[in-house]
Amino acid sequence: MNSNIKDMVWVFAEQSNGELADVSLELLHKAGALAKKMDSEVSAVLLGHEIAELANTLFAHGADNVYLLDDKELKDFRSLPYANLITKLVEDKQPRIVLFGATHTGRDIAPRVASHTRSGLTADCTELKIETLTLRKVEHTDLLLQIRPAFGGNIIATIISPDVAIQMATIREGVMEMGEADPSRTGHVIQIPVKLGPIEVAVQIIEKHQKPSEVNLKTAPIIVAGGYGADTPEKFQLIKDLAKVLGADVAGSRAAVDAGLIEAERQVGQTGTTVRPKLYIAIGISGAIQHRAGMQESQKIIAINNDPEAPIFGVAHYGITGDLEVVIPKLIAAYKSQLH
Protein backbone atom coordinates (compact mmCIF):
# COMPACT_ATOMS: atom_id res chain seq x y z
CA MET A 1 0.00 0.00 0.00
CA ASN A 2 2.74 2.46 0.90
CA SER A 3 5.77 0.25 0.45
CA ASN A 4 7.54 2.98 -1.54
CA ILE A 5 7.15 5.59 1.18
CA LYS A 6 10.15 6.28 3.37
CA ASP A 7 8.39 7.92 6.27
CA MET A 8 10.50 7.47 9.35
CA VAL A 9 9.14 10.42 11.35
CA TRP A 10 5.55 10.29 12.53
CA VAL A 11 3.38 12.77 14.41
CA PHE A 12 0.15 11.85 16.17
CA ALA A 13 -2.35 14.40 14.80
CA GLU A 14 -4.59 15.05 17.78
CA GLN A 15 -8.05 16.44 17.00
CA SER A 16 -11.18 17.10 18.96
CA ASN A 17 -14.56 17.83 17.34
CA GLY A 18 -12.80 18.18 14.00
CA GLU A 19 -10.28 20.76 15.22
CA LEU A 20 -6.59 19.94 15.21
CA ALA A 21 -4.55 20.65 18.34
CA ASP A 22 -1.94 23.38 17.86
CA VAL A 23 0.75 21.14 19.35
CA SER A 24 0.29 18.62 16.52
CA LEU A 25 0.91 21.33 13.93
CA GLU A 26 3.94 22.57 15.89
CA LEU A 27 5.34 19.04 15.94
CA LEU A 28 4.88 18.66 12.19
CA HIS A 29 7.23 21.59 11.59
CA LYS A 30 9.83 20.08 13.95
CA ALA A 31 9.32 16.66 12.38
CA GLY A 32 10.15 18.19 9.01
CA ALA A 33 13.54 19.34 10.29
CA LEU A 34 14.25 15.91 11.81
CA ALA A 35 13.14 14.08 8.65
CA LYS A 36 15.37 16.26 6.49
CA LYS A 37 18.43 15.06 8.42
CA MET A 38 17.24 11.47 7.96
CA ASP A 39 16.48 11.90 4.23
CA SER A 40 12.96 10.84 5.04
CA GLU A 41 9.37 12.01 4.90
CA VAL A 42 6.92 13.08 7.59
CA SER A 43 3.67 11.25 8.24
CA ALA A 44 0.75 12.25 10.41
CA VAL A 45 -1.51 9.70 12.08
CA LEU A 46 -5.09 10.99 12.15
CA LEU A 47 -7.92 9.19 13.95
CA GLY A 48 -11.55 10.28 14.20
CA HIS A 49 -14.80 10.29 12.25
CA GLU A 50 -15.53 12.38 9.18
CA ILE A 51 -12.24 14.25 9.59
CA ALA A 52 -10.64 13.53 6.19
CA GLU A 53 -10.57 17.22 5.28
CA LEU A 54 -8.07 17.82 8.11
CA ALA A 55 -5.45 16.12 5.96
CA ASN A 56 -5.10 19.32 3.91
CA THR A 57 -4.17 21.26 7.05
CA LEU A 58 -1.65 18.59 7.99
CA PHE A 59 -0.09 18.76 4.52
CA ALA A 60 0.10 22.57 4.75
CA HIS A 61 2.06 22.28 8.00
CA GLY A 62 4.57 19.76 6.72
CA ALA A 63 3.08 16.27 6.51
CA ASP A 64 3.95 14.34 3.37
CA ASN A 65 1.56 11.49 4.17
CA VAL A 66 -1.49 11.11 6.38
CA TYR A 67 -2.49 7.75 7.79
CA LEU A 68 -6.26 8.18 8.08
CA LEU A 69 -8.29 5.97 10.41
CA ASP A 70 -11.91 7.09 10.04
CA ASP A 71 -14.68 5.29 11.87
CA LYS A 72 -17.72 6.28 13.94
CA GLU A 73 -16.20 4.43 16.90
CA LEU A 74 -13.32 6.94 16.79
CA LYS A 75 -15.52 10.05 16.89
CA ASP A 76 -14.61 10.72 20.53
CA PHE A 77 -11.27 9.85 22.10
CA ARG A 78 -11.13 6.66 24.11
CA SER A 79 -7.84 5.25 25.34
CA LEU A 80 -8.13 1.62 24.30
CA PRO A 81 -9.23 1.87 20.66
CA TYR A 82 -6.92 4.80 19.91
CA ALA A 83 -3.87 3.21 21.56
CA ASN A 84 -4.47 -0.23 20.05
CA LEU A 85 -4.94 1.07 16.51
CA ILE A 86 -1.81 3.23 16.69
CA THR A 87 0.13 0.33 18.18
CA LYS A 88 -0.87 -1.97 15.31
CA LEU A 89 0.07 0.69 12.77
CA VAL A 90 3.46 1.30 14.39
CA GLU A 91 4.18 -2.42 14.56
CA ASP A 92 3.26 -2.79 10.90
CA LYS A 93 5.10 0.22 9.44
CA GLN A 94 8.03 0.46 11.91
CA PRO A 95 8.71 4.22 11.86
CA ARG A 96 11.97 5.37 13.47
CA ILE A 97 10.42 8.25 15.43
CA VAL A 98 6.89 8.92 16.77
CA LEU A 99 6.04 12.28 18.38
CA PHE A 100 3.04 13.02 20.58
CA GLY A 101 1.85 16.29 22.09
CA ALA A 102 2.18 16.23 25.88
CA THR A 103 -1.56 16.76 26.24
CA HIS A 104 -3.93 14.64 28.30
CA THR A 105 -4.59 12.56 25.17
CA GLY A 106 -0.95 12.27 24.12
CA ARG A 107 0.17 11.35 27.62
CA ASP A 108 -2.51 8.67 27.70
CA ILE A 109 -1.63 7.09 24.37
CA ALA A 110 2.17 7.39 24.16
CA PRO A 111 3.09 5.13 27.13
CA ARG A 112 0.63 2.48 25.98
CA VAL A 113 2.06 2.43 22.45
CA ALA A 114 5.66 2.54 23.70
CA SER A 115 5.05 -0.30 26.12
CA HIS A 116 3.41 -2.54 23.53
CA THR A 117 6.05 -1.87 20.87
CA ARG A 118 9.03 -2.00 23.31
CA SER A 119 10.02 1.50 22.21
CA GLY A 120 11.98 4.19 24.03
CA LEU A 121 9.86 7.08 25.31
CA THR A 122 10.89 10.38 26.89
CA ALA A 123 8.27 12.75 28.29
CA ASP A 124 8.15 16.54 28.15
CA CYS A 125 11.11 17.13 25.85
CA THR A 126 12.16 20.73 25.26
CA GLU A 127 14.37 20.03 22.23
CA LEU A 128 14.87 17.23 19.72
CA LYS A 129 17.85 16.55 17.47
CA ILE A 130 19.04 13.81 15.13
CA GLU A 131 22.61 12.55 15.32
CA THR A 132 24.69 9.49 14.54
CA LEU A 133 26.65 8.37 17.61
CA THR A 134 29.21 5.65 18.27
CA LEU A 135 28.61 3.94 21.59
CA ARG A 136 30.78 1.07 22.82
CA LYS A 137 32.33 0.84 19.32
CA VAL A 138 28.89 0.42 17.70
CA GLU A 139 27.60 3.12 15.37
CA HIS A 140 23.96 4.10 15.86
CA THR A 141 22.45 6.09 13.01
CA ASP A 142 19.54 8.51 13.25
CA LEU A 143 19.43 8.58 17.02
CA LEU A 144 16.82 10.92 18.44
CA LEU A 145 18.41 13.16 21.06
CA GLN A 146 15.58 13.81 23.50
CA ILE A 147 16.53 16.84 25.55
CA ARG A 148 14.74 17.93 28.71
CA PRO A 149 15.42 19.33 32.20
CA ALA A 150 16.01 16.65 34.84
CA PHE A 151 16.69 16.28 38.56
CA GLY A 152 14.42 19.12 39.54
CA GLY A 153 15.63 21.27 36.70
CA ASN A 154 19.21 21.35 37.93
CA ILE A 155 20.57 19.79 34.75
CA ILE A 156 19.63 19.51 31.09
CA ALA A 157 19.60 15.81 30.21
CA THR A 158 20.01 14.35 26.74
CA ILE A 159 18.28 10.99 26.58
CA ILE A 160 18.81 8.44 23.79
CA SER A 161 17.37 5.01 23.07
CA PRO A 162 20.12 3.28 21.06
CA ASP A 163 18.96 -0.27 21.72
CA VAL A 164 15.44 0.01 20.34
CA ALA A 165 14.19 0.45 16.79
CA ILE A 166 11.47 2.99 17.55
CA GLN A 167 12.02 6.21 19.50
CA MET A 168 9.13 8.20 20.96
CA ALA A 169 8.78 11.53 22.72
CA THR A 170 6.08 13.79 24.09
CA ILE A 171 6.45 17.55 23.77
CA ARG A 172 4.40 20.22 25.49
CA GLU A 173 2.37 22.72 23.50
CA GLY A 174 4.28 25.85 22.57
CA VAL A 175 7.76 24.36 23.07
CA MET A 176 8.28 23.92 19.33
CA GLU A 177 7.58 26.93 17.16
CA MET A 178 4.79 26.66 14.62
CA GLY A 179 6.01 27.80 11.23
CA GLU A 180 3.95 29.29 8.46
CA ALA A 181 1.46 27.00 6.74
CA ASP A 182 1.94 26.41 3.03
CA PRO A 183 -1.51 25.81 1.47
CA SER A 184 0.11 24.75 -1.81
CA ARG A 185 1.62 21.62 -0.26
CA THR A 186 -0.04 18.29 -1.04
CA GLY A 187 0.55 14.72 0.05
CA HIS A 188 -0.78 11.20 0.18
CA VAL A 189 -3.77 10.09 2.22
CA ILE A 190 -3.41 6.45 3.21
CA GLN A 191 -6.68 4.91 4.37
CA ILE A 192 -6.19 2.37 7.15
CA PRO A 193 -9.06 -0.09 7.79
CA VAL A 194 -10.43 0.14 11.35
CA LYS A 195 -11.18 -3.15 13.04
CA LEU A 196 -12.09 -3.07 16.72
CA GLY A 197 -13.17 -5.89 19.01
CA PRO A 198 -15.98 -5.70 21.58
CA ILE A 199 -13.52 -5.24 24.45
CA GLU A 200 -11.87 -2.25 22.76
CA VAL A 201 -15.21 -0.42 22.50
CA ALA A 202 -16.63 -1.61 25.80
CA VAL A 203 -16.41 1.87 27.30
CA GLN A 204 -19.14 4.09 25.89
CA ILE A 205 -19.35 7.89 26.08
CA ILE A 206 -22.88 8.83 27.16
CA GLU A 207 -22.46 12.59 27.47
CA LYS A 208 -19.60 15.00 26.85
CA HIS A 209 -19.10 18.31 28.64
CA GLN A 210 -16.26 20.61 27.64
CA LYS A 211 -15.35 24.03 28.96
CA PRO A 212 -12.89 25.92 26.79
CA SER A 213 -10.13 27.74 28.61
CA GLU A 214 -10.61 31.50 28.89
CA VAL A 215 -6.83 32.05 29.12
CA ASN A 216 -4.56 31.92 26.08
CA LEU A 217 -1.10 33.08 27.06
CA LYS A 218 0.39 31.73 23.84
CA THR A 219 -1.10 34.55 21.77
CA ALA A 220 -0.53 37.37 24.30
CA PRO A 221 1.78 40.10 22.90
CA ILE A 222 2.69 41.37 26.39
CA ILE A 223 2.89 39.31 29.58
CA VAL A 224 3.58 40.55 33.09
CA ALA A 225 4.52 37.58 35.28
CA GLY A 226 5.03 37.38 39.01
CA GLY A 227 6.93 34.93 41.16
CA TYR A 228 7.23 34.16 44.84
CA GLY A 229 9.10 37.42 45.28
CA ALA A 230 5.61 38.92 45.27
CA ASP A 231 4.68 36.68 48.16
CA THR A 232 1.51 38.40 49.35
CA PRO A 233 -1.78 39.15 47.57
CA GLU A 234 -1.05 42.85 48.04
CA LYS A 235 2.31 42.61 46.27
CA PHE A 236 0.86 40.46 43.50
CA GLN A 237 -1.89 43.02 43.02
CA LEU A 238 0.84 45.48 42.01
CA ILE A 239 1.79 43.07 39.20
CA LYS A 240 -1.83 42.91 38.08
CA ASP A 241 -2.03 46.72 38.21
CA LEU A 242 1.01 47.03 35.94
CA ALA A 243 -0.46 44.47 33.53
CA LYS A 244 -3.73 46.41 33.41
CA VAL A 245 -1.97 49.67 32.60
CA LEU A 246 0.06 48.01 29.82
CA GLY A 247 -2.90 46.05 28.46
CA ALA A 248 -0.96 42.88 29.18
CA ASP A 249 -1.88 39.39 30.31
CA VAL A 250 -0.95 38.33 33.83
CA ALA A 251 1.04 35.15 34.41
CA GLY A 252 3.05 33.53 37.17
CA SER A 253 5.80 31.11 38.01
CA ARG A 254 5.05 27.72 39.53
CA ALA A 255 6.02 29.07 42.96
CA ALA A 256 3.39 31.77 42.62
CA VAL A 257 0.79 29.22 41.56
CA ASP A 258 1.69 26.87 44.41
CA ALA A 259 1.36 29.80 46.84
CA GLY A 260 -2.15 30.46 45.56
CA LEU A 261 -1.26 33.88 44.18
CA ILE A 262 -2.46 33.13 40.64
CA GLU A 263 -4.47 30.47 38.81
CA ALA A 264 -2.70 27.35 37.51
CA GLU A 265 -3.83 28.00 33.93
CA ARG A 266 -1.68 31.16 33.99
CA GLN A 267 1.53 29.34 34.90
CA VAL A 268 4.49 29.83 32.57
CA GLY A 269 7.28 27.30 32.45
CA GLN A 270 8.11 23.67 31.84
CA THR A 271 5.00 22.45 33.65
CA GLY A 272 2.89 25.37 32.47
CA THR A 273 2.60 27.21 29.19
CA THR A 274 5.48 28.04 26.87
CA VAL A 275 5.17 31.63 25.60
CA ARG A 276 6.92 33.86 23.05
CA PRO A 277 5.41 37.34 23.55
CA LYS A 278 6.86 40.55 22.18
CA LEU A 279 7.48 41.67 25.77
CA TYR A 280 7.80 39.56 28.92
CA ILE A 281 8.18 41.33 32.27
CA ALA A 282 9.33 38.95 35.03
CA ILE A 283 8.81 40.39 38.51
CA GLY A 284 10.02 38.64 41.64
CA ILE A 285 10.90 35.56 39.62
CA SER A 286 14.27 34.02 40.42
CA GLY A 287 14.54 32.35 37.02
CA ALA A 288 14.79 28.63 37.71
CA ILE A 289 15.49 26.60 34.59
CA GLN A 290 11.92 25.27 34.58
CA HIS A 291 10.57 28.81 34.28
CA ARG A 292 13.17 29.98 31.78
CA ALA A 293 12.27 27.03 29.53
CA GLY A 294 8.83 28.52 29.12
CA MET A 295 9.70 32.17 28.38
CA GLN A 296 13.28 32.61 27.24
CA GLU A 297 12.23 32.80 23.55
CA SER A 298 10.33 36.05 24.26
CA GLN A 299 11.39 38.87 21.95
CA LYS A 300 12.22 41.25 24.84
CA ILE A 301 12.53 40.35 28.51
CA ILE A 302 12.58 42.78 31.41
CA ALA A 303 13.46 41.34 34.82
CA ILE A 304 12.76 43.05 38.14
CA ASN A 305 14.28 41.40 41.19
CA ASN A 306 15.91 42.50 44.43
CA ASP A 307 18.59 39.81 44.06
CA PRO A 308 21.26 40.96 41.58
CA GLU A 309 22.47 37.36 41.28
CA ALA A 310 19.05 35.98 40.28
CA PRO A 311 19.35 33.67 37.22
CA ILE A 312 16.51 35.51 35.48
CA PHE A 313 18.96 38.33 34.70
CA GLY A 314 20.92 35.84 32.59
CA VAL A 315 18.15 35.75 29.96
CA ALA A 316 16.83 39.30 30.41
CA HIS A 317 17.50 42.05 27.87
CA TYR A 318 16.94 44.69 30.56
CA GLY A 319 17.24 44.23 34.31
CA ILE A 320 16.14 46.31 37.28
CA THR A 321 17.50 45.45 40.70
CA GLY A 322 15.14 46.67 43.37
CA ASP A 323 12.09 46.16 45.54
CA LEU A 324 9.03 45.54 43.41
CA GLU A 325 6.92 47.65 45.79
CA VAL A 326 9.12 50.59 44.85
CA VAL A 327 9.80 49.82 41.20
CA ILE A 328 6.30 48.94 39.96
CA PRO A 329 4.57 52.17 41.10
CA LYS A 330 7.35 54.15 39.41
CA LEU A 331 6.90 52.15 36.19
CA ILE A 332 3.16 52.73 36.25
CA ALA A 333 3.62 56.46 36.88
CA ALA A 334 6.23 56.76 34.14
CA TYR A 335 4.04 54.93 31.60
CA LYS A 336 0.98 57.01 32.43
CA SER A 337 3.00 60.21 32.11
CA GLN A 338 3.84 59.27 28.51
CA LEU A 339 0.15 58.91 27.67
CA HIS A 340 -0.56 62.59 28.20
PDB file of all heavy atoms in Angstrom, residues 19-42:
ATOM      1  N   GLU A  19     -11.259  19.664  15.149  1.00  0.00           N
ATOM      2  CA  GLU A  19     -10.285  20.764  15.225  1.00  0.00           C
ATOM      3  C   GLU A  19      -8.941  20.209  15.687  1.00  0.00           C
ATOM      4  O   GLU A  19      -8.853  19.574  16.743  1.00  0.00           O
ATOM      5  CB  GLU A  19     -10.768  21.835  16.189  1.00  0.00           C
ATOM      6  CG  GLU A  19      -9.854  23.062  16.228  1.00  0.00           C
ATOM      7  CD  GLU A  19     -10.430  24.183  17.078  1.00  0.00           C
ATOM      8  OE1 GLU A  19     -11.641  24.116  17.419  1.00  0.00           O
ATOM      9  OE2 GLU A  19      -9.678  25.101  17.414  1.00  0.00           O
ATOM     10  N   LEU A  20      -7.921  20.464  14.887  1.00  0.00           N
ATOM     11  CA  LEU A  20      -6.592  19.941  15.214  1.00  0.00           C
ATOM     12  C   LEU A  20      -5.968  20.717  16.374  1.00  0.00           C
ATOM     13  O   LEU A  20      -6.109  21.943  16.469  1.00  0.00           O
ATOM     14  CB  LEU A  20      -5.676  20.038  14.004  1.00  0.00           C
ATOM     15  CG  LEU A  20      -5.959  19.027  12.882  1.00  0.00           C
ATOM     16  CD1 LEU A  20      -5.292  19.473  11.592  1.00  0.00           C
ATOM     17  CD2 LEU A  20      -5.482  17.629  13.287  1.00  0.00           C
ATOM     18  N   ALA A  21      -5.266  20.004  17.238  1.00  0.00           N
ATOM     19  CA  ALA A  21      -4.551  20.651  18.339  1.00  0.00           C
ATOM     20  C   ALA A  21      -3.332  21.389  17.797  1.00  0.00           C
ATOM     21  O   ALA A  21      -2.619  20.876  16.927  1.00  0.00           O
ATOM     22  CB  ALA A  21      -4.123  19.600  19.352  1.00  0.00           C
ATOM     23  N   ASP A  22      -3.094  22.585  18.312  1.00  0.00           N
ATOM     24  CA  ASP A  22      -1.940  23.376  17.863  1.00  0.00           C
ATOM     25  C   ASP A  22      -0.636  22.598  18.018  1.00  0.00           C
ATOM     26  O   ASP A  22       0.261  22.695  17.178  1.00  0.00           O
ATOM     27  CB  ASP A  22      -1.851  24.680  18.665  1.00  0.00           C
ATOM     28  CG  ASP A  22      -2.857  25.713  18.186  1.00  0.00           C
ATOM     29  OD1 ASP A  22      -3.516  25.472  17.149  1.00  0.00           O
ATOM     30  OD2 ASP A  22      -2.995  26.756  18.852  1.00  0.00           O
ATOM     31  N   VAL A  23      -0.520  21.838  19.105  1.00  0.00           N
ATOM     32  CA  VAL A  23       0.745  21.137  19.355  1.00  0.00           C
ATOM     33  C   VAL A  23       1.062  20.158  18.234  1.00  0.00           C
ATOM     34  O   VAL A  23       2.234  19.950  17.890  1.00  0.00           O
ATOM     35  CB  VAL A  23       0.719  20.437  20.732  1.00  0.00           C
ATOM     36  CG1 VAL A  23      -0.291  19.300  20.762  1.00  0.00           C
ATOM     37  CG2 VAL A  23       2.104  19.939  21.102  1.00  0.00           C
ATOM     38  N   SER A  24       0.044  19.560  17.626  1.00  0.00           N
ATOM     39  CA  SER A  24       0.294  18.622  16.524  1.00  0.00           C
ATOM     40  C   SER A  24       0.884  19.354  15.324  1.00  0.00           C
ATOM     41  O   SER A  24       1.793  18.846  14.654  1.00  0.00           O
ATOM     42  CB  SER A  24      -1.006  17.915  16.129  1.00  0.00           C
ATOM     43  OG  SER A  24      -1.523  17.177  17.209  1.00  0.00           O
ATOM     44  N   LEU A  25       0.386  20.552  15.049  1.00  0.00           N
ATOM     45  CA  LEU A  25       0.914  21.331  13.930  1.00  0.00           C
ATOM     46  C   LEU A  25       2.332  21.809  14.232  1.00  0.00           C
ATOM     47  O   LEU A  25       3.200  21.839  13.357  1.00  0.00           O
ATOM     48  CB  LEU A  25      -0.016  22.512  13.635  1.00  0.00           C
ATOM     49  CG  LEU A  25      -1.482  22.135  13.360  1.00  0.00           C
ATOM     50  CD1 LEU A  25      -2.311  23.376  13.084  1.00  0.00           C
ATOM     51  CD2 LEU A  25      -1.572  21.169  12.194  1.00  0.00           C
ATOM     52  N   GLU A  26       2.576  22.182  15.488  1.00  0.00           N
ATOM     53  CA  GLU A  26       3.936  22.571  15.889  1.00  0.00           C
ATOM     54  C   GLU A  26       4.909  21.404  15.684  1.00  0.00           C
ATOM     55  O   GLU A  26       6.028  21.583  15.185  1.00  0.00           O
ATOM     56  CB  GLU A  26       3.936  22.996  17.354  1.00  0.00           C
ATOM     57  CG  GLU A  26       3.149  24.265  17.642  1.00  0.00           C
ATOM     58  CD  GLU A  26       2.834  24.455  19.126  1.00  0.00           C
ATOM     59  OE1 GLU A  26       3.301  23.639  19.940  1.00  0.00           O
ATOM     60  OE2 GLU A  26       2.115  25.402  19.459  1.00  0.00           O
ATOM     61  N   LEU A  27       4.466  20.214  16.056  1.00  0.00           N
ATOM     62  CA  LEU A  27       5.343  19.044  15.942  1.00  0.00           C
ATOM     63  C   LEU A  27       5.607  18.677  14.485  1.00  0.00           C
ATOM     64  O   LEU A  27       6.677  18.150  14.168  1.00  0.00           O
ATOM     65  CB  LEU A  27       4.734  17.856  16.685  1.00  0.00           C
ATOM     66  CG  LEU A  27       4.686  17.991  18.208  1.00  0.00           C
ATOM     67  CD1 LEU A  27       4.091  16.740  18.835  1.00  0.00           C
ATOM     68  CD2 LEU A  27       6.083  18.239  18.765  1.00  0.00           C
ATOM     69  N   LEU A  28       4.652  18.951  13.603  1.00  0.00           N
ATOM     70  CA  LEU A  28       4.882  18.656  12.187  1.00  0.00           C
ATOM     71  C   LEU A  28       6.044  19.486  11.645  1.00  0.00           C
ATOM     72  O   LEU A  28       6.857  19.002  10.853  1.00  0.00           O
ATOM     73  CB  LEU A  28       3.613  18.929  11.382  1.00  0.00           C
ATOM     74  CG  LEU A  28       2.537  17.844  11.446  1.00  0.00           C
ATOM     75  CD1 LEU A  28       1.281  18.309  10.723  1.00  0.00           C
ATOM     76  CD2 LEU A  28       3.033  16.535  10.838  1.00  0.00           C
ATOM     77  N   HIS A  29       6.118  20.744  12.059  1.00  0.00           N
ATOM     78  CA  HIS A  29       7.235  21.595  11.593  1.00  0.00           C
ATOM     79  C   HIS A  29       8.566  21.065  12.134  1.00  0.00           C
ATOM     80  O   HIS A  29       9.566  21.034  11.417  1.00  0.00           O
ATOM     81  CB  HIS A  29       7.004  23.035  12.032  1.00  0.00           C
ATOM     82  CG  HIS A  29       5.888  23.701  11.276  1.00  0.00           C
ATOM     83  ND1 HIS A  29       6.077  24.355  10.075  1.00  0.00           N
ATOM     84  CD2 HIS A  29       4.567  23.796  11.556  1.00  0.00           C
ATOM     85  CE1 HIS A  29       4.913  24.829   9.633  1.00  0.00           C
ATOM     86  NE2 HIS A  29       3.985  24.509  10.525  1.00  0.00           N
ATOM     87  N   LYS A  30       8.593  20.653  13.398  1.00  0.00           N
ATOM     88  CA  LYS A  30       9.826  20.083  13.955  1.00  0.00           C
ATOM     89  C   LYS A  30      10.150  18.754  13.285  1.00  0.00           C
ATOM     90  O   LYS A  30      11.310  18.461  12.990  1.00  0.00           O
ATOM     91  CB  LYS A  30       9.671  19.878  15.470  1.00  0.00           C
ATOM     92  CG  LYS A  30      10.935  19.391  16.150  1.00  0.00           C
ATOM     93  CD  LYS A  30      12.059  20.415  16.022  1.00  0.00           C
ATOM     94  CE  LYS A  30      13.353  19.947  16.645  1.00  0.00           C
ATOM     95  NZ  LYS A  30      14.419  20.964  16.511  1.00  0.00           N
ATOM     96  N   ALA A  31       9.111  17.959  13.035  1.00  0.00           N
ATOM     97  CA  ALA A  31       9.323  16.664  12.376  1.00  0.00           C
ATOM     98  C   ALA A  31       9.944  16.852  11.003  1.00  0.00           C
ATOM     99  O   ALA A  31      10.774  16.039  10.566  1.00  0.00           O
ATOM    100  CB  ALA A  31       7.998  15.910  12.274  1.00  0.00           C
ATOM    101  N   GLY A  32       9.570  17.938  10.325  1.00  0.00           N
ATOM    102  CA  GLY A  32      10.151  18.193   9.014  1.00  0.00           C
ATOM    103  C   GLY A  32      11.650  18.400   9.080  1.00  0.00           C
ATOM    104  O   GLY A  32      12.403  17.902   8.232  1.00  0.00           O
ATOM    105  N   ALA A  33      12.098  19.113  10.121  1.00  0.00           N
ATOM    106  CA  ALA A  33      13.541  19.342  10.288  1.00  0.00           C
ATOM    107  C   ALA A  33      14.261  18.034  10.620  1.00  0.00           C
ATOM    108  O   ALA A  33      15.367  17.771  10.129  1.00  0.00           O
ATOM    109  CB  ALA A  33      13.769  20.368  11.399  1.00  0.00           C
ATOM    110  N   LEU A  34      13.636  17.199  11.448  1.00  0.00           N
ATOM    111  CA  LEU A  34      14.247  15.909  11.806  1.00  0.00           C
ATOM    112  C   LEU A  34      14.301  14.990  10.577  1.00  0.00           C
ATOM    113  O   LEU A  34      15.319  14.332  10.319  1.00  0.00           O
ATOM    114  CB  LEU A  34      13.445  15.237  12.916  1.00  0.00           C
ATOM    115  CG  LEU A  34      13.322  16.001  14.237  1.00  0.00           C
ATOM    116  CD1 LEU A  34      12.435  15.230  15.212  1.00  0.00           C
ATOM    117  CD2 LEU A  34      14.694  16.245  14.868  1.00  0.00           C
ATOM    118  N   ALA A  35      13.209  14.963   9.825  1.00  0.00           N
ATOM    119  CA  ALA A  35      13.143  14.080   8.651  1.00  0.00           C
ATOM    120  C   ALA A  35      14.154  14.485   7.591  1.00  0.00           C
ATOM    121  O   ALA A  35      14.710  13.636   6.893  1.00  0.00           O
ATOM    122  CB  ALA A  35      11.728  14.102   8.076  1.00  0.00           C
ATOM    123  N   LYS A  36      14.392  15.787   7.479  1.00  0.00           N
ATOM    124  CA  LYS A  36      15.365  16.262   6.487  1.00  0.00           C
ATOM    125  C   LYS A  36      16.745  15.691   6.776  1.00  0.00           C
ATOM    126  O   LYS A  36      17.473  15.301   5.870  1.00  0.00           O
ATOM    127  CB  LYS A  36      15.398  17.793   6.512  1.00  0.00           C
ATOM    128  CG  LYS A  36      16.240  18.404   5.408  1.00  0.00           C
ATOM    129  CD  LYS A  36      16.141  19.926   5.431  1.00  0.00           C
ATOM    130  CE  LYS A  36      16.964  20.539   4.296  1.00  0.00           C
ATOM    131  NZ  LYS A  36      16.885  22.020   4.328  1.00  0.00           N
ATOM    132  N   LYS A  37      17.116  15.620   8.053  1.00  0.00           N
ATOM    133  CA  LYS A  37      18.428  15.060   8.418  1.00  0.00           C
ATOM    134  C   LYS A  37      18.470  13.562   8.180  1.00  0.00           C
ATOM    135  O   LYS A  37      19.548  12.974   8.059  1.00  0.00           O
ATOM    136  CB  LYS A  37      18.737  15.357   9.888  1.00  0.00           C
ATOM    137  CG  LYS A  37      19.006  16.820  10.180  1.00  0.00           C
ATOM    138  CD  LYS A  37      19.850  16.995  11.423  1.00  0.00           C
ATOM    139  CE  LYS A  37      21.269  16.520  11.183  1.00  0.00           C
ATOM    140  NZ  LYS A  37      22.168  16.838  12.319  1.00  0.00           N
ATOM    141  N   MET A  38      17.293  12.920   8.152  1.00  0.00           N
ATOM    142  CA  MET A  38      17.236  11.472   7.956  1.00  0.00           C
ATOM    143  C   MET A  38      16.936  11.106   6.508  1.00  0.00           C
ATOM    144  O   MET A  38      16.750   9.929   6.190  1.00  0.00           O
ATOM    145  CB  MET A  38      16.152  10.879   8.869  1.00  0.00           C
ATOM    146  CG  MET A  38      16.410  11.110  10.348  1.00  0.00           C
ATOM    147  SD  MET A  38      14.967  10.718  11.367  1.00  0.00           S
ATOM    148  CE  MET A  38      14.843   8.955  11.121  1.00  0.00           C
ATOM    149  N   ASP A  39      16.852  12.136   5.619  1.00  0.00           N
ATOM    150  CA  ASP A  39      16.481  11.901   4.227  1.00  0.00           C
ATOM    151  C   ASP A  39      15.182  11.096   4.175  1.00  0.00           C
ATOM    152  O   ASP A  39      15.085  10.073   3.488  1.00  0.00           O
ATOM    153  CB  ASP A  39      17.600  11.158   3.485  1.00  0.00           C
ATOM    154  CG  ASP A  39      17.350  11.119   1.987  1.00  0.00           C
ATOM    155  OD1 ASP A  39      16.621  11.994   1.492  1.00  0.00           O
ATOM    156  OD2 ASP A  39      17.845  10.196   1.318  1.00  0.00           O
ATOM    157  N   SER A  40      14.204  11.582   4.909  1.00  0.00           N
ATOM    158  CA  SER A  40      12.963  10.837   5.040  1.00  0.00           C
ATOM    159  C   SER A  40      11.773  11.766   4.811  1.00  0.00           C
ATOM    160  O   SER A  40      11.925  12.929   4.444  1.00  0.00           O
ATOM    161  CB  SER A  40      12.887  10.214   6.443  1.00  0.00           C
ATOM    162  OG  SER A  40      11.664   9.546   6.631  1.00  0.00           O
ATOM    163  N   GLU A  41      10.590  11.235   4.996  1.00  0.00           N
ATOM    164  CA  GLU A  41       9.367  12.011   4.900  1.00  0.00           C
ATOM    165  C   GLU A  41       8.681  12.052   6.255  1.00  0.00           C
ATOM    166  O   GLU A  41       9.049  11.312   7.175  1.00  0.00           O
ATOM    167  CB  GLU A  41       8.422  11.398   3.853  1.00  0.00           C
ATOM    168  CG  GLU A  41       8.964  11.467   2.436  1.00  0.00           C
ATOM    169  CD  GLU A  41       7.972  10.914   1.415  1.00  0.00           C
ATOM    170  OE1 GLU A  41       7.013  10.216   1.826  1.00  0.00           O
ATOM    171  OE2 GLU A  41       8.158  11.186   0.220  1.00  0.00           O
ATOM    172  N   VAL A  42       7.682  12.926   6.350  1.00  0.00           N
ATOM    173  CA  VAL A  42       6.919  13.075   7.592  1.00  0.00           C
ATOM    174  C   VAL A  42       5.514  12.541   7.372  1.00  0.00           C
ATOM    175  O   VAL A  42       4.873  12.862   6.370  1.00  0.00           O
ATOM    176  CB  VAL A  42       6.846  14.558   8.008  1.00  0.00           C
ATOM    177  CG1 VAL A  42       5.961  14.719   9.240  1.00  0.00           C
ATOM    178  CG2 VAL A  42       8.233  15.101   8.272  1.00  0.00           C
TER     179      VAL A  42
END
